[in-house]
């Protein structure tokens, strides 16, 4: 991926600032090496960051990785697939929040276009507010494993103070 982006004329400094490259002890390297990468878009559909999943289950680094925080990308204020799900959620009157990118891609592929995901395991207050803009009663559909149950409990704890009559 990095070679393709460098071919577009971006400087090393721009790639570092955008989070596509990182500075390590041995120099500059591709932040998303060995990963499947997809774009994270804002509400208008502009690419503001990237998300990636490891291709191999080894012990080298986290399974999922996002772009770092930049002036354009704020992980806690963004929902993956919001630009696509907004109209479908409005038309259906409901939105489904799932755990991750791969869940969104899989569920969308079978016709559920009103699905989004937080960029990590826990929904933030800002992401909850975005969900409530899409539907009066958002559905949270997290995995049944321990991490999914913890994410659901944290979402409920964060949602309670935001509830209004």
């Amino acid at each position: 991926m990095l070679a393709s982006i460098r071919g577009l004329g971006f400087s090393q400094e721009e790639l570092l600032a955008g989070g596509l490259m990182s500075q390590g002890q041995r120099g500059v390297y591709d932040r998303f090496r060995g990963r499947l990468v997809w774009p994270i878009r804002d509400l208008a559909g502009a690419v503001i960051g990237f998300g990636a999943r490891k291709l191999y289950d080894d012990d080298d680094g986290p399974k999922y990785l996002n772009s770092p925080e930049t002036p354009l990308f704020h992980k806690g204020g963004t929902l993956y697939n919001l630009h696509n799900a907004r109209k479908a959620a409005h038309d259906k009157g409901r939105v489904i929040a799932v755990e991750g990118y791969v869940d969104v891609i899989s569920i969308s592929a079978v016709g559920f276009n009103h699905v989004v995901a937080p960029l990590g395991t826990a929904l933030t207050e800002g992401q909850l507010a975005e969900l409530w803009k899409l539907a009066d009663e958002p559905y949270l559909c997290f995995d049944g494993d321990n991490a999914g149950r913890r994410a659901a409990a944290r979402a409920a704890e964060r949602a309670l103070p935001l509830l209004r009559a």
Side-chain angles (χ1 to χ4, degrees), residues 10 13 18 26 31-32 44 60 73-74 93 99 101 121 123-124 129 135 148 150 152 160-161 163-164:
F10 290 99
E13 291 76 24
R26 291 190 265 168
R31 178 180 179 82
F32 298 113
D60 188 29
F73 177 64
H74 304 287
E99 262 189 75
Y101 313 116
T121 57
L123 277 168
T124 66
R150 282 192 306 271
L160 284 174
L163 292 177
R164 302 283 181 258

Short mmCIF file of all heavy atoms in Angstrom, two decimals, residues 10 13 18 26 31-32 44 60 73-74 93 99 101 121 123-124 129 135 148 150 152 160-161 163-164:
data_model
loop_
_atom_site.label_atom_id
_atom_site.label_comp_id
_atom_site.label_asym_id
_atom_site.label_seq_id
_atom_site.Cartn_x
_atom_site.Cartn_y
_atom_site.Cartn_z
N PHE A 10 3.38 11.83 -2.43
CA PHE A 10 3.42 12.28 -1.04
C PHE A 10 4.83 12.15 -0.49
O PHE A 10 5.53 11.18 -0.75
CB PHE A 10 2.44 11.47 -0.18
CG PHE A 10 1.00 11.76 -0.47
CD1 PHE A 10 0.27 10.91 -1.29
CD2 PHE A 10 0.38 12.87 0.06
CE1 PHE A 10 -1.06 11.17 -1.57
CE2 PHE A 10 -0.94 13.14 -0.20
CZ PHE A 10 -1.67 12.29 -1.03
N GLU A 13 7.44 13.07 5.07
CA GLU A 13 6.89 13.87 6.17
C GLU A 13 5.36 13.84 6.16
O GLU A 13 4.73 13.75 7.20
CB GLU A 13 7.39 15.32 6.09
CG GLU A 13 8.87 15.48 6.39
CD GLU A 13 9.78 15.03 5.23
OE1 GLU A 13 9.34 15.02 4.05
OE2 GLU A 13 10.93 14.67 5.51
N GLY A 18 0.33 11.80 8.39
CA GLY A 18 -0.94 11.15 8.15
C GLY A 18 -1.08 9.80 8.81
O GLY A 18 -2.13 9.15 8.76
N ARG A 26 14.69 1.64 14.30
CA ARG A 26 15.49 1.32 13.11
C ARG A 26 15.11 2.16 11.90
O ARG A 26 15.43 1.81 10.79
CB ARG A 26 15.35 -0.17 12.78
CG ARG A 26 16.02 -1.04 13.83
CD ARG A 26 16.09 -2.46 13.37
NE ARG A 26 14.95 -3.19 13.92
CZ ARG A 26 14.57 -4.39 13.54
NH1 ARG A 26 15.19 -5.01 12.58
NH2 ARG A 26 13.54 -4.97 14.10
N ARG A 31 3.39 1.64 8.68
CA ARG A 31 2.61 1.38 9.89
C ARG A 31 1.71 0.16 9.73
O ARG A 31 1.45 -0.56 10.69
CB ARG A 31 1.78 2.62 10.22
CG ARG A 31 0.87 2.46 11.43
CD ARG A 31 0.08 3.74 11.67
NE ARG A 31 -0.81 3.63 12.77
CZ ARG A 31 -0.46 3.80 14.04
NH1 ARG A 31 0.78 4.10 14.35
NH2 ARG A 31 -1.35 3.68 15.00
N PHE A 32 1.19 -0.07 8.53
CA PHE A 32 0.21 -1.13 8.31
C PHE A 32 0.78 -2.36 7.60
O PHE A 32 0.04 -3.12 7.00
CB PHE A 32 -0.98 -0.57 7.51
CG PHE A 32 -1.71 0.54 8.23
CD1 PHE A 32 -1.69 1.83 7.75
CD2 PHE A 32 -2.41 0.28 9.40
CE1 PHE A 32 -2.36 2.85 8.41
CE2 PHE A 32 -3.08 1.29 10.07
CZ PHE A 32 -3.06 2.58 9.58
N ALA A 44 -19.02 12.88 4.97
CA ALA A 44 -19.12 13.25 3.56
C ALA A 44 -18.49 12.21 2.63
O ALA A 44 -18.59 12.32 1.41
CB ALA A 44 -18.46 14.61 3.33
N ASP A 60 3.01 -10.56 16.99
CA ASP A 60 3.64 -9.28 16.67
C ASP A 60 2.59 -8.18 16.50
O ASP A 60 2.03 -8.00 15.43
CB ASP A 60 4.46 -9.42 15.38
CG ASP A 60 5.29 -8.18 15.10
OD1 ASP A 60 5.68 -7.50 16.04
OD2 ASP A 60 5.54 -7.91 13.90
N PHE A 73 -8.49 12.99 11.80
CA PHE A 73 -9.01 11.72 12.29
C PHE A 73 -9.05 11.69 13.82
O PHE A 73 -8.01 11.80 14.47
CB PHE A 73 -8.15 10.57 11.78
CG PHE A 73 -8.56 9.22 12.28
CD1 PHE A 73 -9.79 8.68 11.95
CD2 PHE A 73 -7.72 8.48 13.09
CE1 PHE A 73 -10.18 7.43 12.42
CE2 PHE A 73 -8.09 7.23 13.56
CZ PHE A 73 -9.32 6.71 13.22
N HIS A 74 -10.25 11.53 14.36
CA HIS A 74 -10.46 11.40 15.80
C HIS A 74 -11.22 10.10 16.05
O HIS A 74 -12.43 10.03 15.80
CB HIS A 74 -11.22 12.60 16.36
CG HIS A 74 -10.55 13.89 16.05
ND1 HIS A 74 -9.40 14.30 16.68
CD2 HIS A 74 -10.84 14.86 15.14
CE1 HIS A 74 -9.01 15.45 16.19
NE2 HIS A 74 -9.86 15.82 15.26
N GLY A 93 -35.31 3.76 9.87
CA GLY A 93 -35.64 4.20 11.22
C GLY A 93 -34.87 3.46 12.30
O GLY A 93 -35.24 3.47 13.47
N GLU A 99 -19.28 -4.58 16.48
CA GLU A 99 -17.97 -4.39 17.10
C GLU A 99 -16.90 -3.85 16.16
O GLU A 99 -16.09 -3.04 16.59
CB GLU A 99 -17.47 -5.70 17.71
CG GLU A 99 -17.74 -5.76 19.19
CD GLU A 99 -17.07 -6.94 19.85
OE1 GLU A 99 -15.85 -6.90 20.06
OE2 GLU A 99 -17.78 -7.89 20.18
N TYR A 101 -14.88 -3.45 11.93
CA TYR A 101 -14.93 -3.26 10.48
C TYR A 101 -15.39 -4.51 9.74
O TYR A 101 -16.23 -4.44 8.86
CB TYR A 101 -13.54 -2.93 9.91
CG TYR A 101 -12.76 -1.90 10.62
CD1 TYR A 101 -11.56 -2.21 11.24
CD2 TYR A 101 -13.19 -0.58 10.64
CE1 TYR A 101 -10.82 -1.24 11.87
CE2 TYR A 101 -12.45 0.39 11.27
CZ TYR A 101 -11.26 0.06 11.88
OH TYR A 101 -10.54 1.02 12.51
N THR A 121 -13.12 -1.09 20.70
CA THR A 121 -14.14 -1.95 21.31
C THR A 121 -15.19 -1.19 22.10
O THR A 121 -16.23 -1.74 22.42
CB THR A 121 -13.49 -2.99 22.23
OG1 THR A 121 -12.73 -2.31 23.22
CG2 THR A 121 -12.61 -3.94 21.45
N LEU A 123 -17.82 2.07 22.64
CA LEU A 123 -18.50 3.24 22.09
C LEU A 123 -18.26 4.44 23.00
O LEU A 123 -18.35 4.33 24.22
CB LEU A 123 -20.02 3.00 22.03
CG LEU A 123 -20.56 2.23 20.84
CD1 LEU A 123 -22.00 1.82 21.09
CD2 LEU A 123 -20.46 3.06 19.59
N THR A 124 -17.94 5.57 22.41
CA THR A 124 -17.76 6.80 23.19
C THR A 124 -19.07 7.56 23.25
O THR A 124 -20.02 7.26 22.52
CB THR A 124 -16.70 7.70 22.54
OG1 THR A 124 -17.20 8.15 21.27
CG2 THR A 124 -15.37 6.98 22.36
N ALA A 129 -23.92 9.68 20.55
CA ALA A 129 -24.70 10.82 20.06
C ALA A 129 -24.93 10.70 18.56
O ALA A 129 -26.03 10.99 18.07
CB ALA A 129 -23.98 12.13 20.40
N ALA A 135 -31.09 7.25 14.62
CA ALA A 135 -32.30 6.52 15.01
C ALA A 135 -32.60 6.75 16.48
O ALA A 135 -31.69 6.94 17.28
CB ALA A 135 -32.12 5.02 14.75
N GLY A 148 -16.80 -8.59 24.03
CA GLY A 148 -18.07 -8.05 23.55
C GLY A 148 -19.01 -7.70 24.69
O GLY A 148 -19.70 -6.67 24.66
N ARG A 150 -18.08 -6.92 27.75
CA ARG A 150 -17.53 -5.72 28.41
C ARG A 150 -17.85 -4.47 27.59
O ARG A 150 -18.20 -3.42 28.16
CB ARG A 150 -16.02 -5.86 28.59
CG ARG A 150 -15.63 -6.75 29.76
CD ARG A 150 -14.15 -6.65 30.09
NE ARG A 150 -13.28 -6.89 28.95
CZ ARG A 150 -12.81 -8.08 28.59
NH1 ARG A 150 -13.12 -9.16 29.29
NH2 ARG A 150 -12.03 -8.21 27.54
N ALA A 152 -20.41 -3.98 25.61
CA ALA A 152 -21.84 -3.69 25.77
C ALA A 152 -22.11 -3.04 27.12
O ALA A 152 -22.89 -2.08 27.22
CB ALA A 152 -22.66 -4.97 25.63
N LEU A 160 -26.41 5.81 29.76
CA LEU A 160 -27.36 6.19 30.81
C LEU A 160 -27.36 7.69 31.12
O LEU A 160 -28.44 8.29 31.16
CB LEU A 160 -27.09 5.37 32.09
CG LEU A 160 -27.58 3.93 32.02
CD1 LEU A 160 -27.15 3.17 33.26
CD2 LEU A 160 -29.09 3.88 31.85
N PRO A 161 -26.22 8.33 31.31
CA PRO A 161 -26.26 9.77 31.60
C PRO A 161 -26.77 10.62 30.43
O PRO A 161 -27.17 11.77 30.62
CB PRO A 161 -24.81 10.13 31.91
CG PRO A 161 -24.11 8.85 32.15
CD PRO A 161 -24.87 7.80 31.42
N LEU A 163 -29.35 9.77 28.44
CA LEU A 163 -30.77 9.52 28.17
C LEU A 163 -31.61 10.73 28.59
O LEU A 163 -31.38 11.34 29.63
CB LEU A 163 -31.26 8.28 28.91
CG LEU A 163 -30.68 6.96 28.43
CD1 LEU A 163 -31.20 5.82 29.30
CD2 LEU A 163 -31.00 6.69 26.97
N ARG A 164 -32.59 11.05 27.77
CA ARG A 164 -33.52 12.16 28.02
C ARG A 164 -34.94 11.63 27.86
O ARG A 164 -35.18 10.70 27.11
CB ARG A 164 -33.30 13.31 27.04
CG ARG A 164 -31.90 13.90 27.03
CD ARG A 164 -31.71 14.81 28.24
NE ARG A 164 -30.39 15.41 28.24
CZ ARG A 164 -29.40 14.99 29.01
NH1 ARG A 164 -29.56 13.99 29.82
NH2 ARG A 164 -28.23 15.58 28.98
#
